[in-house]
Every structure is written in C-alpha cells, then in structure tokens.
Amino acid sequence: MVAHALVTRASNTPPSGPDRHADGVATAAPSRLARIFAAVVARRWLVVAFYALALIPSAWLATRVGQDNSIDRLIVATDPDYIATREFEKVFGGGEFALLLAEADDPLAAGVVERVDRIERRLAAVPRVNANSALSVYRRAKAGFESTPEQVAAFRTFATGTDLFRRQGLLGDHYLAIGVVLDVSDTEQRQAALAGVDAAIAEVAADLGPLTALTKLGQPYVNAYLDHTQRGAWRYFVLFTAFVVVLNIALYRSKRTLAAFLITLAVSLAMSVGYIGLVGGMLTIVSPMVPMTILVTATATLVYIHSRFVECPPETPPAEHQIFALENKFVGCTASMFATAVGFAALMVSDIRPIRQMGEWVAVGLILTWIIVFTLFPALQSILKTPTQRERAVAGQWFLAFAQWLPRVSYRLRWPLVLSALALCALGAAALFGIPGAVTPMRILTDPVAYMSPSAPLYRDIRRLAPSIPGLSISQIWLRGAVGSMSEPEVLSGLNAFQQALERDPEVGSVVGPTSILRMMRYLGRAGDGWPSDPDGLEQVAGDLEGLLGAEPMLQRFVQPHSLAQAQLTVITRTAEHEGFLHLDESVRRLWQEAAAAHPALADVQMSIVGLAPLHAKMAQNLIPTLVESFALTVVVIFTAFLFVFRSGAARLMAMIPSLFAILVMFLIMRLTGMTLNIATILIASTVLGTSENDQIHFFYHFLERRKNGTVEQSLQHTMIIAGRAIFFATLINAGGFLAFGLAELPPVREFGLLSALAFVLSMIADFTALPAALWILFREKPDGAERGAPSTDR
C-alpha cells in the first residue's frame, strides 16, 4: 500500500504551470501535442494498416542487403596510398596472395611431389587463380613433368641446388609450398576462387598419404573466415528477442504488452534495415552493431513510455492517462533519441566507409524508430488494451523503497562519491591517453589475424607456421623510369643489390623481383644462381629479360611489357601492425637511397611503396583520430541538444557525467585486463555516450520538473520514482542487448559486447550515486527536516 501510494503521489505531482493531469482532474485545455496523440490513438487501425503495408517493401529491401566482412571495406577510396595502389594494379595486376603448404617430414619425397603436381594441374583450370611453386618452375623449364622416380629425383636435385626457393618461401624443411594469387576484387569473386581451390585440393585433402597436413594460409582465407563467422550474427538478435520476452513478462506480466513491444521492434528493425537496402548498403564486420543499437534504443524508449503509462492513478481513465503519459515522456524520449541519433551521425565525419555508413544507418534508423514508437506503439497499446498497474502489478516495487532511501544516503556520502568518481575518471583518462614518460597510450590492434578466434584452425595454423614461412603480409615496391630503362644492365645490377640489401633486413622475410626470375633463368641454364658481375654476363641477363618478357607471364608481373619503363619488387614480411609497416617503409627508403648512391643508374628511377597490407594497417590506425573527432563532435552536439531541454547550465554539464564516467572507467578496465583497441572496441565511446545519455536526459527532465517547486530531496525522490525504475530496466535492456555480442566468435566483437554492457551498468551506477551526490553539492541544500544553512538558489 505504501509503494502504491508513492507511485500515485509521484504520478499526480503537479509541475509548475498548467497540467491537465494533476490529481486526475483536467485543469487546462489539451495541448497541441496531446491533441496529436489523441488523433493517433483515435485512428489506431489506420496507423496499423499503414505500417502493415509499409512493412512489405521494407522487408523486401532488407533481404537485399548483402554482407562483406573483408578488411578491404576499411579502405578510403580517396586515400593517396589507395589511389597509388590501384594505379600500380593497372600495370601489374592485383589480387590476393595465399599459400598452400604440403607439410611432410620429407617435402621432396615422391608421394609428396606427386600430390603437389596433382594439385597444380587442377589449379591451372580454376578461373582467376594463378599458382607458382618450385615444381611449376621446373615443369616450365623441362617442358613438362611426370612423377616418375627419375623425374622426382631430378626435381629434388633441382630444388635443393639453390637457395632461391627457400628465400621465396616455396620450400622449407618440412613443407613444399604453392604460392597462389587470386585475381579477385570483391567478395563474390573471392568466394568463387576459393571454392575452386578447395575443389582442386579436395582429393589430396581426403587422402594425404605421406603428407602430415595440407594447410591453407593467407589473407583470402582470413577474409573468408571473417565473412563466414559474421554471417551468424542473426544469433545475437535471437538472444536479444528472448531477453526482451523474459524481461517484458517479468516487468509488465502481460502477453498483450509483450505483443505490442515485439511488433513495434520488428517494424523498427525492418524499416531501418530496409533503408540500408534502399541505399544499396553492404553489411561489414561492424554492421551487427547497427540493428542492435536501434533495437536497444527502441526497447529502452518503449520501457520509458510504457512504465509511465502503467502508473495510472485509480481515478483516471486509462485512455486519458495514455495521452498524458505520451505527452509527459515526449520531450525526454525525443531529446534522448535525438541525442543518440546525432551521436552516431557524428561518425559520418569518418573517411572510413563502414564507420561512416554505420553512423548514417543508425541515425536514420533512430529517426524512423522515433516516429514508430510515438505512432504505432500507442495504436497497439489501445488496440491490445495493454493493462496498467491497476489491473496487473508491475515488477520492481522494491525500487520505490530504494527511491526513498537513496537521496539521504547520497547526501551523507556526497563527497566520497564525487571524489572517487573523479579519481576513477582520471585513471581512465591516463589509461587511454597515457602519461608522458610513465604510461604509453593504448594501442590499436591492426593485425587482421588477431581479429580471429584463437580456437579457429586457420588462426592456429598461421601462428604455428609463422616462424617457418617468410610471412603473409605483402607490400610492393613500385619502380618507374624512362622507356626501356628496366632492361639496362646498370639498372638491373642496382635492383639486384637493392633486393639483396632488403633480404638482409631482419624485418623482411622474402623479396621477389625481376632479378629473382633472371637468376632463376641462369640457374636453369646451368650458369649458377648468382648475379653476374662481368659486362658480358650483365648484357646476357639484360637480353634474356627482353627476350623472355613477351612469353613468360610470371615475368610480366614484375616488369612492364613493351615499354620496360616500370618494374616492381614484392616484399613479404611477418609484420601486420601499422608500426611495423612504418619501420619497413623507413628501411626500404633508406636502402633505396644507399643503392642509388652506389648505382647512379637508379637515380632517375622513381620508387614508391604500395600494397593492400600496409594500407589495411594504415586505415585501421586512422580509426583513432577519426573516432576522437567524431566523439568530440558527439559531445558538442549532445551538449547543444541539452540547451533546448535544460535551462540550467549546471544540469547540461552534469547530465554527461555518468556517461563519461562509464566510458573512462571502461578504458581503465581494458588497460588493467590487457585488452587493446580494435576496429570494434574503439566504437564503444561513441556508442555508450550516444545510448546512455537517454538515462541522464530522463533523470534531469524529471528532476527539474519537480525542482520548480520542490526541494532537492523531493526532486530526487520524484526522479527516482518516475524515471529511476525505467532507467534500471532500460539499462538491463541496453546491457543485455549488447551482452549478446559476448557470444561472438570474433574477439573484437565479443569484447565490444562485454565492454559495452559493462559501460551501461557503470553509467547506471553513476546515475544513482555520483549524480545525486553532485546535485547535493551543487545546490548546497540539506535533506528535508535537517537544519539548513543559507538558502540555496536554483541554478
């Protein structure tokens, strides 16, 4: 009875100014907003019919949305390095590099060679796939190969008579490798090419014989893995739906209310994803966060609206109270959804396409959701006759006692609560940004392999074989000179010296270039695999280059045919992080300058470094300044939105305290647990700020509503009774929704879900501790009935 009286008193507490619902008696004419909501409810069947019709094209468009989780989606099309890479590919072709490793105790045994030969013959028939190995070189040199004992023995002698194959990673102590270049440019082509490769190796994979393993490595397989794992993202939404069902039944104890929630959420999701299909969008590795953010924001908003609706006083008709509840929650819900939408729209400043699209899609989805929750949901409430607490008691009655207890406790502990919150914020900022000379800033992980689950077979194979192979990251050194310059003996000698210097660099695993092939030709001609130093020998290799270029496709991947004005060296490294590529860039430029100084013929050759691997790392690294900029813009825009909601300047600042507290403490926990920033976790700050501000807006809206004619204690009690319980359950929804990502296979997505859920809980804790404590300090009041000092002034 006491709890019911508290709710009734809070529901009927009249704010200053005209109120049509004070004590259940109309005291003023209905406002324009009330008349609009009354019209929506009166035309409820028409509203439902409209959304039923709109759902058909929305669902159809949603089914047309494709998915591409490859790291290539991070690339900015206007980036100078990307443009240079595409210009390079026009000359030498592009593609993705992979390795097939036939692992065996003796990789040159007859059974191993026979199986590699069988694989290569079948790969030759796969479109967009070019294979190269020590065996394919031998086959071309000998005009064929049959796996007879004599030819296998001859191949062993050939493969072990030079170190060229080992330097290129095509032969190891326990593997014979096939280098595979996939001439692909999108997900469909990659999937088709990999399917062709899998078909070519299927027979050998089923009967390994002397092989200990047949292993597939490389960026195409990493991209395929990321694409495959994220296609199971539907599981997150199934879990979220189950969570909504359980929470809804537990909170409102009504199947009719549950139906209204689920229908509203389904329409919001269909129309939001339908918009993605309408603009031709493509889902990426971060895209599951788009519909989840829309769903949790929509559900939290529905909880705010419906929690106000169920608090219907005994003497007020439910239909009348429904209009009051909608009108009462309109400003708070509108401001909170607008703040969330603008917070995500700030991501549109990013040059990175998936991040920019994520901001656009969430912002548009939230605008559509805002319209839906204030039109479709009221219509469903009326049609389904969702019960109020007069008909069915709602959960959380214990919260009313908590609302009575909290204000005085927060007063007694106001200084410890505020100071501890500030201290934790400071530690979080230090964990994120570092302390000069003491703590380094948090680093961002840019290695795509690190985005994989450690339990994935591909991940284990890459880590197991990493010490044995030259690497999987490929950069190209693009050389441009005058027409015919690349066949000049002096230039070729300089390129050979440059390549050998690169091979001695500890950061480089392997280098393949024009002189590698020319040395191989000399080896095949029984002239040894060394580079000639005499003039006649140099003239000979220069002539060989010009003669072979038109007939040897492999050589054409390194020297521009016809004009011989351009060439390239492929550098294979184990580095995958941005810092490693920066060091590699410095080494390449330094060694080039040294080679040009020793070989003047190189002075007129222009050298540049291109390639998708360093570009991927650069794009991931560029997430930091991009998202710092968007986060700052989010703060500014949300603070600006508060100008229209709160007249109190202090309220505008304090409304952001819980979110900032949650974000900074979350970064502190990341640092303490050894987590790093990545493509997913770096989005948490903007996500949490944009989403959790809903709670602070509702908190301050009702606090200031009561503060007009009440004390701080009365205002806090009013806020906790009206908004506190909704904040508690909305936080459960937010945290539960993002916690579903904790079941993801990919570590970045899993960490994003766990950390986001943690941040939402931290924000709620700050709502109920640091925020009330700060309000006591700000207004300099004491609890009601306590001895008061100087009168306070509202600010």
Side-chain angles (χ1 to χ4, degrees):
M1 294 298 294
V2 174
H4 180 72
L6 284 170
V7 173
T8 302
R9 184 179 67 187
S11 300
N12 294 336
T13 301
S16 61
D19 179 20
R20 65 177 214 74
H21 195 264
D23 297 318
V25 179
T27 59
S31 66
R32 177 180 298 178
L33 186 60
R35 293 195 299 270
I36 292 173
F37 285 129
V40 169
V41 173
R43 295 166 176 80
R44 52 192 176 274
W45 286 107
L46 184 61
V47 171
V48 171
F50 168 79
Y51 282 108
L53 292 174
L55 189 60
I56 297 173
S58 297
W60 180 77
L61 287 169
T63 61
R64 295 175 59 85
V65 177
Q67 187 159 2
D68 183 358
N69 296 316
S70 66
I71 303 301
D72 291 353
R73 301 290 297 182
L74 293 176
I75 294 174
V76 179
T78 57
D79 183 85
D81 291 339
Y82 175 75
I83 294 173
T85 298
R86 290 308 181 208
E87 291 296 321
F88 168 85
E89 291 175 348
K90 291 178 182 179
V91 179
F92 296 105
E96 300 179 359
F97 174 73
L99 276 177
L100 300 177
L101 269 62
E103 299 184 62
D105 293 333
D106 179 6
L108 297 177
V112 176
V113 175
E114 185 274 330
R115 283 167 170 76
V116 170
D117 179 52
R118 201 189 317 167
I119 291 174
E120 286 193 347
R121 292 177 187 275
R122 296 188 176 181
L123 286 175
V126 179
R128 298 183 179 277
V129 173
N130 298 298
N132 185 56
S133 70
L135 184 58
S136 65
V137 172
Y138 182 81
R139 183 185 297 109
R140 289 195 299 271
K142 302 299 182 180
F145 174 81
E146 297 295 334
S147 54
T148 62
E150 295 77 15
Q151 291 202 31
V152 169
F155 172 66
R156 178 188 290 272
T157 302
F158 169 78
T160 56
T162 177
D163 65 351
L164 291 175
F165 297 118
R166 288 184 177 272
R167 288 189 179 186
Q168 295 175 23
L170 296 177
L171 177 64
D173 291 338
H174 299 292
Y175 70 82
L176 183 60
I178 303 173
V180 179
V181 177
L182 307 183
D183 185 15
V184 299
S185 58
D186 56 38
T187 300
E188 283 189 14
Q189 292 179 358
R190 181 188 306 112
Q191 290 174 341
L194 290 180
V197 172
D198 289 343
I201 68 174
E203 183 180 351
V204 172
D207 179 19
L208 292 176
L211 273 63
T212 57
L214 181 58
T215 307
K216 302 176 290 187
L217 302 175
Q219 188 63 50
Y221 290 103
V222 174
N223 284 334
Y225 167 85
L226 296 175
D227 187 61
H228 173 74
T229 53
Q230 282 299 81
R231 290 184 185 275
W234 58 270
R235 293 174 297 178
Y236 312 146
F237 304 104
V238 172
L239 289 172
F240 176 74
T241 302
F243 181 78
V244 170
V245 171
V246 172
L247 184 63
N248 200 284
I249 293 296
L251 178 57
Y252 300 117
R253 300 168 184 175
S254 166
K255 294 180 180 178
R256 287 173 286 166
T257 300
L258 174 62
F261 267 65
L262 292 180
I263 293 172
T264 304
L265 292 176
V267 173
S268 297
L269 181 62
M271 296 188 74
S272 299
V273 180
Y275 170 79
I276 299 176
L278 180 65
V279 297
M282 179 77 70
L283 298 180
T284 66
I285 191 172
V286 298
S287 294
M289 302 163 199
V290 174
M292 185 62 75
T293 301
I294 292 169
L295 285 175
V296 297
T297 305
T299 309
T301 304
L302 294 177
V303 168
Y304 283 118
I305 294 173
H306 198 71
S307 294
R308 195 66 167 126
F309 168 73
V310 298
E311 296 168 353
C312 182
E315 66 278 7
T316 305
E320 179 183 341
H321 179 71
Q322 181 190 21
I323 305 304
F324 164 77
L326 290 167
E327 183 181 14
N328 183 256
K329 299 305 295 183
F330 179 78
V331 173
C333 289
T334 299
S336 63
M337 294 191 77
F338 171 78
T340 305
V342 171
F344 279 93
L347 295 175
M348 293 175 66
V349 303
S350 174
D351 290 329
I352 300 173
R353 182 171 45 180
I355 305 300
R356 184 175 65 250
Q357 290 176 335
M358 177 182 176
E360 174 195 344
W361 296 343
V362 173
V364 172
L366 288 177
I367 292 173
L368 294 172
T369 299
W370 172 76
I371 297 172
I372 292 167
V373 298
F374 280 111
T375 53
L376 178 61
F377 185 66
L380 292 172
Q381 281 180 311
S382 180
I383 292 172
L384 297 174
K385 300 186 184 304
T386 54
T388 66
Q389 66 180 4
R390 292 188 309 189
E391 304 166 64
R392 196 161 300 168
V394 298
Q397 298 299 317
W398 59 268
F399 200 90
L400 302 175
F402 177 72
Q404 290 289 99
W405 170 82
L406 178 67
R408 291 181 176 246
V409 172
S410 63
Y411 172 79
R412 289 197 301 270
L413 300 176
R414 61 193 183 280
W415 285 109
L417 288 173
V418 170
L419 292 177
S420 60
L422 291 175
L424 287 172
C425 286
L427 290 174
L432 176 61
F433 300 110
I435 301 174
V439 179
T440 59
M442 287 187 71
R443 59 187 291 267
I444 182 168
L445 196 65
T446 59
D447 181 4
V449 176
Y451 293 170
M452 301 172 62
S453 170
S455 62
L458 177 60
Y459 178 90
R460 295 199 302 267
D461 286 337
I462 292 174
R463 295 307 188 206
R464 173 176 62 87
L465 292 166
S468 305
I469 60 177
L472 294 172
S473 296
I474 293 181
S475 303
Q476 277 96 17
I477 300 175
W478 189 9
L479 305 170
R480 286 168 286 183
V483 173
S485 59
M486 295 305 157
S487 63
E488 294 292 332
E490 296 81 5
V491 171
L492 290 174
S493 292
L495 294 183
N496 183 69
F498 174 54
Q499 178 174 330
Q500 289 182 323
L502 282 172
E503 290 173 341
R504 291 191 294 268
D505 192 291
E507 298 177 359
V508 175
S510 176
V511 183
V512 183
T515 59
S516 303
I517 299 175
L518 292 174
R519 289 172 60 191
M520 181 62 66
M521 294 300 106
R522 283 175 55 81
Y523 175 68
L524 292 171
R526 301 177 183 265
D529 62 3
W531 187 255
S533 56
D534 60 290
D536 291 340
L538 292 174
E539 288 291 343
Q540 179 65 44
V541 295
D544 290 343
L545 172 62
E546 294 176 353
L548 291 170
L549 192 56
E552 181 57 56
M554 184 58 64
L555 190 57
Q556 293 173 8
R557 297 190 67 90
F558 293 94
V559 180
Q560 182 187 33
H562 308 301
S563 68
L564 293 104
Q566 302 183 47
Q568 67 104 349
L569 279 71
T570 296
V571 181
I572 304 174
T573 69
R574 297 188 182 97
T575 188
E577 300 292 344
H578 182 62
E579 295 84 355
F581 284 112
L582 290 179
H583 294 153
L584 177 64
D585 185 275
E586 293 175 1
S587 297
V588 170
R589 296 186 185 282
R590 173 177 52 80
L591 294 174
W592 176 256
Q593 291 177 355
E594 294 175 359
H599 300 270
L602 297 180
D604 296 329
V605 177
Q606 180 184 352
M607 188 276 295
S608 56
I609 303 170
V610 296
L612 291 179
L615 192 57
H616 291 157
K618 174 187 175 183
M619 290 299 101
Q621 187 68 27
N622 285 347
L623 285 171
I624 293 180
T626 295
L627 293 176
V628 167
E629 181 182 354
S630 66
F631 180 77
L633 182 58
T634 301
V635 172
V636 170
V637 173
I638 290 178
F639 183 79
T640 304
F642 289 170
L643 293 175
F644 299 96
V645 182
F646 309 130
R647 294 183 179 180
S648 168
R652 297 175 200 139
L653 290 174
M654 295 178 66
M656 303 188 75
I657 289 176
S659 294
L660 295 177
F661 168 82
I663 291 167
L664 292 173
V665 173
M666 182 267 303
F667 282 126
L668 174 62
I669 293 173
M670 285 182 66
R671 192 65 181 260
L672 293 176
T673 56
M675 294 185 186
T676 58
L677 296 172
N678 55 52
I679 187 176
T681 57
I682 202 169
L683 296 169
I684 292 177
S686 295
T687 301
V688 171
L689 179 62
T691 307
S692 64
E693 278 303 315
N694 297 354
D695 299 340
Q696 284 87 65
I697 288 175
H698 287 279
F699 186 103
F700 269 95
Y701 179 79
H702 291 289
F703 178 84
L704 296 176
E705 177 184 62
R706 187 68 180 90
R707 180 63 181 155
K708 293 175 182 177
N709 55 10
T711 64
V712 170
E713 183 175 5
Q714 292 170 347
S715 301
L716 285 174
Q717 287 178 349
H718 173 81
T719 301
M720 295 301 296
I721 292 171
I722 299 300
R725 182 166 53 182
I727 289 174
F728 176 78
F729 285 106
T731 298
L732 290 183
I733 290 168
N734 289 338
F738 281 91
L739 197 60
F741 288 120
L743 300 178
E745 183 176 348
L746 299 183
V749 178
R750 183 169 62 245
E751 291 170 0
F752 174 85
L754 297 175
L755 291 170
S756 294
L758 172 65
F760 288 128
V761 173
L762 289 171
S763 178
M764 180 188 68
I765 292 173
D767 285 337
F768 295 157
T769 55
L771 192 52
L775 288 170
W776 283 114
I777 295 173
L778 174 67
F779 288 105
R780 293 179 292 185
E781 285 191 13
K782 293 183 178 181
D784 298 343
E787 182 180 352
R788 297 178 182 274
S792 64
T793 58
D794 289 353
R795 304 183 183 185

